[in-house]
Amino acid sequence: MVFRMKEQKNDKRFFKGKCLEKYRCSGNSIDLSTAGAFPLTTLIAAFTNLFGTPFVMLSTGLNGFINAQGFPRVGMMTTVIGAILNLILDPLFIFSFHMGVSGAALATVISQIVSAVWVLKFLTGKRVLLHIKKRYMKVNPMLAKEITSLGMAGFIMQGTNCLVQVVCNATLKIYGGDLYVGIMTVINSARDILSLPVSGLTSGSQPVLGYNYGAREYTRVKQDICFTALLGILYTVAAWLFIIKKPRFLISVFTEDATMLEYGVSALHLYFFGFFFMAFQFTGQSTFTALGHSRQAIFFSLLRKAIIVTPLTILLPRIGFGVSGVFLAEPISNAIGGLAYFITMWFTVYRRLGRRKQMVMAKTMDGVAAVCGGANHTVIIRTDESVWTCGSGNYGELGNVTPVPYNSDGDVGSNFDITN
């Protein structure tokens, strides 16, 4: 909570900022118990939180491996344990032990450590399918590259959010002043809260999509995509209706300032217009990421924020929309980016799932070659070690061989249809 302070140029007891525990707050001023305590306290809190960074990276990073192995409840407990413990320790350290901000930071770090221990204990226990073992603790460059490329979409999405925030605040400062900068801060907070359920839904669908795609259960993959999209649309439509009906209530959660409430309602309506288009974006991104289409995921993450929102935020106010143009940029980008994301996913991924190819087999010296019908043939060779490699060729390149029918069990028999 930010307080407006009385100007006291020669008195170090007064400052503008957050009202922190351990300092006595009275009226419009804050009386520090010690003149130099605030910087020292902040420094201690910063170092304390820095110490907890490895633990939060372990808990959040490894938690995905719990969910991917079919233990979503255990994965959920990682977050729940840390959150509940933090809620218990915060008042204990701040008020009972009089540790102030340092106590809050310490409570956070302890919670992060406990969450990390929970994750590590489970991944080294008996219930888990894939264990953490010392012999696997080495970097595979190719695997690391693939993981990084898939995670890049989420990283870019968060990074471009920061870029848009900077551009929005700079533009609002020119056309609307501090009032609209504050309104945008409130709206961003509301957006983060309202987006959490659909973001959690699509993130939770990724392990299911990846598992069924790897198992060639393409009907289930399609069902999961449709279910995620439908549920996401229903939720975002409900959230949009709530915003239309109760805008003042939503803003009042973050501020009680009468001026912000008055001007924030119209800004909120503009910003969240067509909020349901967000569901298309989240569904498209989760599908591309889960099925390994990293390039598409990265491109569309850049498209909505960097290519659409940022230019519109600068352009719309200049062509006559004024401060409203900053808030209109978001729904326009949601519609264009969300639909582009989903439609591309639908035609390049969804419709191709389960498309069947008629194949015949040819016996060769090295093993068994599967040859697709057509002028140019895709050849899949199974070696004695049952490792499949793909290449391209035609009947001539295979030499003098006789194609024979091959069935799905790997035996010579009837014609064999395989799925992509």
Side-chain angles (χ1 to χ4, degrees):
M1 185 180 293
V2 179
F3 293 83
R4 292 182 179 178
M5 307 299 161
K6 295 178 180 178
E7 291 187 5
Q8 301 284 343
K9 296 182 179 179
N10 298 322
D11 194 341
K12 292 183 179 179
R13 293 180 302 168
F14 298 93
F15 72 99
K16 294 182 179 180
K18 294 183 177 180
C19 178
L20 304 175
E21 204 285 326
K22 196 177 179 179
Y23 309 124
R24 298 191 302 274
C25 301
S26 175
N28 293 324
S29 63
I30 299 178
D31 184 11
L32 298 182
S33 57
T34 306
F38 178 65
L40 180 60
T41 305
T42 305
L43 190 62
I44 294 173
F47 275 109
T48 306
N49 277 321
L50 186 63
F51 175 77
T53 301
F55 299 102
V56 72
M57 295 298 291
L58 278 173
S59 60
T60 56
L62 293 178
N63 201 44
F65 294 97
I66 296 177
N67 294 327
Q69 295 183 64
F71 299 97
R73 292 183 181 178
V74 178
M76 181 183 68
M77 287 300 297
T78 304
T79 304
V80 171
I81 289 172
I84 293 177
L85 186 60
N86 203 353
L87 288 173
I88 295 172
L89 294 179
D90 268 340
L92 182 66
F93 290 162
I94 294 172
F95 300 113
S96 299
F97 298 158
H98 306 289
M99 296 177 66
V101 179
S102 300
L106 182 60
T108 300
V109 171
I110 292 175
S111 303
Q112 292 166 348
I113 292 173
V114 172
S115 294
V117 170
W118 166 269
V119 170
L120 290 172
K121 181 174 176 58
F122 184 81
L123 288 176
T124 54
K126 296 180 179 180
R127 291 179 59 192
V128 74
L129 303 176
L130 301 174
H131 299 81
I132 295 179
K133 295 182 179 179
K134 186 177 180 180
R135 65 175 180 269
Y136 300 135
M137 294 293 185
K138 54 184 179 181
V139 177
N140 184 326
M142 295 300 295
L143 188 59
K145 181 181 178 181
E146 185 177 355
I147 292 171
T148 303
S149 64
L150 291 174
M152 192 61 67
F155 170 76
I156 290 174
M157 198 169 179
Q158 293 298 323
T160 50
N161 277 336
C162 297
L163 171 65
V164 170
Q165 185 71 34
V166 171
V167 174
C168 283
N169 287 345
T171 308
L172 287 171
K173 188 76 173 177
I174 297 171
Y175 291 93
D178 291 339
L179 172 64
Y180 279 97
V181 173
I183 290 172
M184 178 58 82
T185 302
V186 170
I187 289 176
N188 282 330
S189 300
R191 180 204 61 198
D192 291 342
I193 293 174
L194 292 173
S195 299
L196 278 175
V198 69
S199 177
L201 171 69
T202 52
S203 296
S205 70
Q206 288 185 24
V208 180
L209 284 168
Y211 176 83
N212 285 295
Y213 184 74
R216 297 183 180 274
E217 296 286 349
Y218 301 113
T219 301
R220 292 183 181 179
V221 175
K222 288 185 172 182
Q223 290 173 346
D224 187 28
I225 293 172
C226 292
F227 173 80
T228 303
L230 179 61
L231 197 59
I233 292 170
L234 290 175
Y235 167 75
T236 47
V237 168
W240 184 26
L241 293 175
F242 173 76
I243 292 166
I244 294 173
K245 294 291 185 182
K246 300 288 184 180
R248 294 181 69 88
F249 170 78
L250 188 60
I251 297 174
S252 66
V253 172
F254 304 96
T255 179
E256 296 179 358
D257 185 88
T259 307
M260 290 187 68
L261 286 169
E262 180 182 354
Y263 289 93
V265 170
S266 59
L268 191 73
H269 282 156
L270 285 174
Y271 189 88
F272 280 98
F273 183 80
F275 183 59
F276 64 90
F277 285 110
M278 288 289 291
F280 292 107
Q281 178 197 340
F282 279 118
T283 304
Q285 182 185 1
S286 66
T287 302
F288 278 133
T289 304
L291 304 189
H293 298 269
S294 58
R295 292 181 180 178
Q296 292 90 330
I298 291 172
F299 171 75
F300 284 105
S301 295
L302 285 170
L303 174 69
R304 197 177 78 84
K305 291 292 186 180
I307 301 175
I308 301 178
V309 176
T310 303
L312 285 178
T313 301
I314 299 171
L315 179 63
L316 291 178
R318 296 176 182 270
I319 61 175
F321 287 94
V323 72
S324 298
V326 178
F327 298 99
L328 277 172
E330 184 71 13
I332 292 173
S333 71
N334 282 343
I336 297 174
L339 287 176
Y341 222 140
F342 190 83
I343 291 171
T344 303
M345 180 275 296
W346 186 269
F347 284 101
T348 62
V349 176
Y350 184 90
R351 293 188 63 181
R352 293 184 179 183
L353 289 170
R355 189 173 292 177
R356 303 169 72 82
K357 291 182 179 178
Q358 189 73 22
M359 302 190 69
V360 293
M361 304 302 297
K363 292 181 178 180
T364 66
M365 294 293 293
D366 298 325
V368 180
V371 186
C372 294
N376 294 318
H377 311 284
T378 300
V379 181
I380 306 172
I381 300 175
R382 189 180 65 189
T383 66
D384 293 338
E385 292 80 15
S386 297
V387 177
W388 293 75
T389 58
C390 299
S392 62
N394 52 47
Y395 285 117
E397 292 177 357
L398 292 177
N400 297 321
V401 296
T402 303
V404 295
Y406 191 76
N407 65 21
S408 58
D409 296 324
D411 302 321
V412 174
S414 59
N415 287 338
F416 170 38
D417 287 336
I418 70 164
T419 309
N420 282 336

